[in-house]
Amino acid sequence: MIAGKPATRRLTRLNMNKGMKIMNVQQLVEKNKSWNLSRDFAKKLLILSGLLAFSFLAFLISIGQGSLDLSFKEVLRCIFLEHDTLNHRIIWNVRLPRTLVAGLVGICLSLSGSILQGVLRNPLAAPNIIGVSSGAGFMAFVIFILFPEYYHIVPLGAFLGAFISTILIYVLAWKDGAHPMRLILAGVAVSALLGAGINSLMIFYPEKISGIIGFMVGGLSARTWPHFKVLLPYASLGIGMALLFPHKLNILALGDEIATGLGLNVEKTRMMFIVIASLLAASAVSVVGLLGFVGLIVPHTARLIIGSDYRYLFPATAILGAGVVMICDTIARMIFDPVEIPVGIIMALLGAPFFLYLLRERRQG
Amino acid sequence: MILQAKNLDLSYGKKIVVKDVNIEINRGEIVTIIGPNGSGKSTVIKALSRYLKPQKGQVLLENKNIFSLKTKEVAQKVAVLPQMKNVPEDFSVETLVGYGRYPHLGFRQRFSQEDYQIIKWALKKTDLLQFKERQLNNLSGGEKQRAWIAMCLAQKPEVLILDEPTTFLDISYQLELLDLIKELNESMGLTIIMVLHDINQAARYSHKLYAIKDGCVHSSGRPQDLLNEDFLKDVYKIEADVFQDNKHSCPYFIPLKKVN
């Protein structure tokens, strides 16, 4: 009896140990299961790394190509290692800032479009639907034509014009809340009005058109570090948002009633996202002009590639946007060298067919 | 009383759709709102679920005005399955159900172990565990509806509000869904408020009926007290034979013809 007690105790302890071991095995199985379960996650991660590789390649090509051709290795060495060579100066003062501006513009416009497609629940939504293009264009025209001595404030004017017309559209669409369809219709109406304004200015001041045509088409020539610094805070804001709030947009995409039922303040969230989308697009437009197409085509392409879950869609859109604008700008610089053509034209020429191809592929699948 | 509507006037724009409606819902009841098309059933549901702000009157959740509470606070107690919802087709069932945890999450939106367990429980309750990785657009109508209900369950609500949950489902899925709702009510004491078109189903599955006609409460009460020939003539303008279903101890009827 006396000797038996510790033995039993030991036995129990052994059993307990065994029990714990069994639990550990179970946990392991659970863990493994969840690893298997996230095959979808792995797939999306793979797509994201693919996009990242594409963008990085675009970055190297964009910097390497020009009147002075450099290999990838030389490009990297010039950026990070060399300091006083001619190559370094060309890259550091001319090509790198321009490429970075192209990347940031791509990020800003694409994220803006992506946000708007989600908030307005409309695949055709793009920055121009909330008046960014028309507002910026109108203000730029007014400054250029009526106050030509202040032409240097065109970017600021464009920024304000874009942002103010968004606010105007939002206010006009408000009636017990800003319903997506009303927002879109108000956007179309205000854009038409501002477009009429632009057209009348063009008719009354035909001799001034050539000066502003570059702004209307959008281009990246002679963009350097100051432009980059203007864009950086907005792009950072957009990327920050993308990391912080993808859930809110996902929930908003389920419909207003469901979103309210899940405890999301629908109107507040929608307004916040529209303001951010407008800021993103306005900052891009103020630096490079009306480069509207990116905001429609990149978010849509990203959605076709990676799906509509904003946790993955946001990063995919940003990365793809940066890559696409960088590569298009390179082509715009190179194709009729030494004459540059505006990047907006290349974007439309290459983007539209590719987009249509993706759309048809997807339909068949 | 867990949820109460007091002298509600509801309108879209300037047009008043619902006038002076009073509804009382006790904890643990299944309450069904019935009425002809355009009578204002869904409008009432929208107000009860804090989506539509009333012109007059108030909605009280545990004696507190629902519109003075935060959206998230309400969402922790009341789950809503509206008629109008967008299905993001490439979301997985598990992702959708996970959004039911949204009202309980902090700023960083991270799931805890408990959240995962609740999601799993909700999937199990709705018999969707084997479909959890499926994309929503690969589900049948009935499975899709169950996925939405699983999302509502993941909210761990005390009240579940459903607007015509059986519409567009064929009869076997309708019964499956109503049985699920009844089971949730019995096993968890979940309070259910729903709109149904099928009066026989409403009578069989509900503790209490509210009949709404022309934006007003026409009558209310237990199905066996409410459903009779005069009621059907008055509310729906039909002539019908009403019988007693002894097996389920509820009334049912066979419609005969429309009367004017």
Side-chain angles (χ1 to χ4, degrees):
Chain A
M1 276 280 281
I2 298 162
K5 251 186 185 172
T8 355
R9 214 177 276 160
R10 209 177 303 143
L11 208 71
T12 347
R13 206 179 297 150
L14 212 78
N15 273 342
M16 261 168 63
N17 277 343
K18 233 186 203 168
M20 271 166 71
K21 251 182 206 155
I22 290 169
M23 245 175 59
N24 281 341
V25 169
Q26 261 176 358
Q27 274 172 352
L28 224 80
V29 171
E30 285 281 301
K31 255 190 190 162
N32 273 337
K33 248 192 212 161
S34 66
W35 269 107
N36 283 337
L37 288 185
S38 52
R39 213 178 315 151
D40 184 55
F41 177 71
K43 197 179 126 201
K44 285 183 168 147
L45 221 55
L46 200 70
I47 297 176
L48 279 179
S49 355
L51 289 174
L52 206 59
F54 161 74
S55 281
F56 188 64
L57 208 65
F59 172 79
L60 291 180
I61 293 174
S62 172
I63 291 182
Q65 296 297 306
S67 44
L68 172 81
D69 271 347
L70 295 169
S71 73
F72 293 168
K73 213 169 91 187
E74 283 171 312
V75 167
L76 287 176
R77 205 170 52 211
C78 287
I79 295 175
F80 295 111
L81 296 177
E82 292 177 15
H83 284 291
D84 279 324
T85 60
L86 178 69
N87 285 359
H88 172 80
R89 255 175 281 151
I90 289 177
I91 285 185
W92 191 258
N93 295 331
V94 181
R95 291 206 192 148
L96 184 62
R98 176 169 177 162
T99 299
L100 289 177
V101 167
L104 286 188
V105 162
I107 291 174
C108 287
L109 286 174
S110 315
L111 279 181
S112 172
S114 191
I115 290 173
L116 289 172
Q117 286 178 7
V119 168
L120 301 177
R121 269 182 237 118
N122 191 312
L124 286 177
N128 61 2
I129 214 98
I130 53 165
V132 167
S133 304
S134 53
F138 183 72
M139 280 299 270
F141 247 70
V142 169
I143 294 171
F144 227 83
I145 288 168
L146 302 182
F147 312 102
E149 65 274 23
Y150 294 116
Y151 75 94
H152 58 276
I153 63 159
V154 163
L156 181 68
F159 181 86
L160 289 177
F163 191 62
I164 290 169
S165 60
T166 299
I167 302 292
L168 181 68
I169 287 166
Y170 194 85
V171 169
L172 286 174
W174 183 273
K175 192 181 162 195
D176 303 327
H179 192 268
M181 195 43 91
R182 266 205 308 272
L183 272 168
I184 290 172
L185 293 175
V188 170
V190 169
S191 295
L193 206 66
L194 290 170
I198 293 175
N199 286 339
S200 6
L201 284 174
M202 286 209 290
I203 285 167
F204 287 120
Y205 301 92
E207 73 283 1
K208 301 261 176 86
I209 292 176
S210 60
I212 201 147
I213 202 85
F215 179 85
M216 297 303 278
V217 185
L220 277 154
S221 65
R223 298 300 187 271
T224 54
W225 289 113
H227 300 104
F228 176 77
K229 281 177 191 145
V230 168
L231 275 173
L232 191 62
Y234 295 104
S236 315
L237 174 82
I239 293 165
M241 292 297 302
L243 292 176
L244 276 178
F245 300 122
H247 295 88
K248 283 188 195 280
L249 256 184
N250 276 344
I251 290 175
L252 206 57
L254 300 175
D256 283 5
E257 276 183 77
I258 287 272
T260 309
L262 286 175
L264 188 77
N265 190 329
V266 169
E267 292 304 340
K268 213 170 93 186
T269 311
R270 186 148 49 214
M271 192 171 83
M272 177 183 84
F273 275 119
I274 287 178
V275 165
I276 288 167
S278 177
L279 284 176
L280 282 171
S283 65
V285 163
S286 73
V287 170
V288 298
L290 304 186
L291 206 67
F293 201 46
V294 200
L296 175 66
I297 225 162
V298 170
H300 222 105
T301 308
R303 194 182 293 262
L304 288 171
I305 295 174
I306 208 163
S308 56
D309 188 335
Y310 274 97
R311 282 174 301 173
Y312 310 107
L313 183 55
F314 266 146
T317 308
I319 297 169
L320 187 66
V324 163
V325 178
M326 286 191 287
I327 213 82
C328 286
D329 183 49
T330 313
I331 296 170
R333 274 190 291 134
M334 298 299 299
I335 197 162
F336 294 124
D337 192 39
V339 180
E340 258 186 42
I341 55 173
V343 62
I345 294 173
I346 296 293
M347 204 107 63
L349 281 179
L350 289 180
F354 177 67
F355 182 62
L356 289 173
Y357 160 77
L358 259 181
L359 216 58
R360 290 185 68 87
E361 277 293 291
R362 171 76 182 233
R363 280 277 158 71
Q364 281 157 10
Chain B
M1 213 181 310
I2 188 159
L3 197 62
Q4 184 184 16
K6 257 175 141 176
N7 311 102
L8 278 191
D9 278 10
L10 302 170
S11 66
Y12 296 118
K14 281 186 183 134
K15 194 180 157 222
I16 290 192
V17 184
V18 166
K19 189 116 189 83
D20 201 27
V21 160
N22 287 288
I23 287 178
E24 292 173 359
I25 287 141
N26 292 318
R27 206 177 275 275
E29 274 183 339
I30 298 181
V31 177
T32 303
I33 300 173
I34 56 174
N37 286 339
S39 57
K41 304 180 297 276
S42 292
T43 313
V44 170
I45 284 278
K46 277 182 187 151
L48 290 177
S49 56
R50 200 186 179 275
Y51 182 66
L52 185 67
K53 215 170 184 169
Q55 296 293 101
K56 229 182 74 191
Q58 41 185 231
V59 178
L60 301 175
L61 175 65
E62 291 171 329
N63 285 322
K64 275 180 236 143
N65 187 344
I66 206 168
F67 283 92
S68 64
L69 295 169
K70 282 196 178 135
T71 325
K72 262 198 176 169
E73 287 177 322
V74 177
Q76 288 170 1
K77 291 193 171 157
V78 183
V80 188
L81 185 57
Q83 259 186 89
M84 295 283 284
K85 46 199 183 276
N86 270 30
V87 187
E89 35 184 68
D90 60 346
F91 275 33
S92 72
V93 173
E94 205 175 15
T95 307
L96 182 75
V97 176
Y99 283 118
R101 294 309 296 155
Y102 179 76
H104 300 275
L105 296 179
F107 182 74
R108 291 199 54 197
Q109 307 289 317
R110 284 285 161 87
F111 284 151
S112 68
Q113 208 54 43
E114 195 198 348
D115 292 317
Y116 281 118
Q117 257 154 25
I118 291 171
I119 291 165
K120 198 170 164 192
W121 164 84
L123 287 166
K124 210 176 203 167
K125 269 278 184 203
T126 47
D127 204 14
L128 284 171
L129 217 45
Q130 73 272 30
F131 292 142
K132 67 178 178 181
E133 280 177 87
R134 283 259 193 106
Q135 293 190 343
L136 285 169
N137 55 348
N138 294 335
L139 296 183
S140 72
E143 287 158 358
K144 219 178 263 178
Q145 197 70 330
R146 288 212 310 266
W148 286 107
I149 288 189
M151 186 195 82
C152 290
L153 286 182
Q155 275 176 263
K156 279 275 179 176
E158 292 167 34
V159 183
L160 176 57
I161 298 179
L162 308 124
D163 193 357
E164 295 191 27
T166 54
T167 311
F168 305 124
L169 299 182
D170 60 40
I171 184 78
S172 64
Y173 286 129
Q174 289 183 19
L175 291 178
E176 179 190 81
L177 197 81
L178 290 168
D179 282 332
L180 171 66
I181 289 167
K182 191 175 162 212
E183 198 274 325
L184 293 172
N185 169 263
E186 282 168 0
S187 67
M188 302 161 52
L190 190 62
T191 309
I192 310 275
I193 305 163
M194 57 183 168
V195 168
L196 288 180
H197 259 301
D198 189 312
I199 307 158
N200 280 330
Q201 287 177 354
R204 181 167 146 196
Y205 284 95
S206 320
H207 300 120
K208 192 174 175 186
L209 298 178
Y210 272 90
I212 301 217
K213 196 194 171 195
D214 302 328
C216 300
V217 173
H218 172 275
S219 50
S220 66
R222 298 190 309 164
Q224 48 268 55
D225 301 333
L226 200 67
L227 200 65
N228 55 43
E229 280 88 353
D230 291 336
F231 171 84
L232 289 167
K233 195 178 274 175
D234 217 30
V235 177
Y236 286 94
K237 296 198 176 116
I238 57 166
E239 208 164 273
D241 285 339
V242 178
F243 305 93
Q244 177 66 25
D245 175 354
N246 287 324
K247 197 171 158 199
H248 300 102
S249 52
C250 65
Y252 73 97
F253 74 94
I254 294 172
L256 299 175
K257 63 173 185 189
K258 187 177 186 291
V259 290
N260 289 313

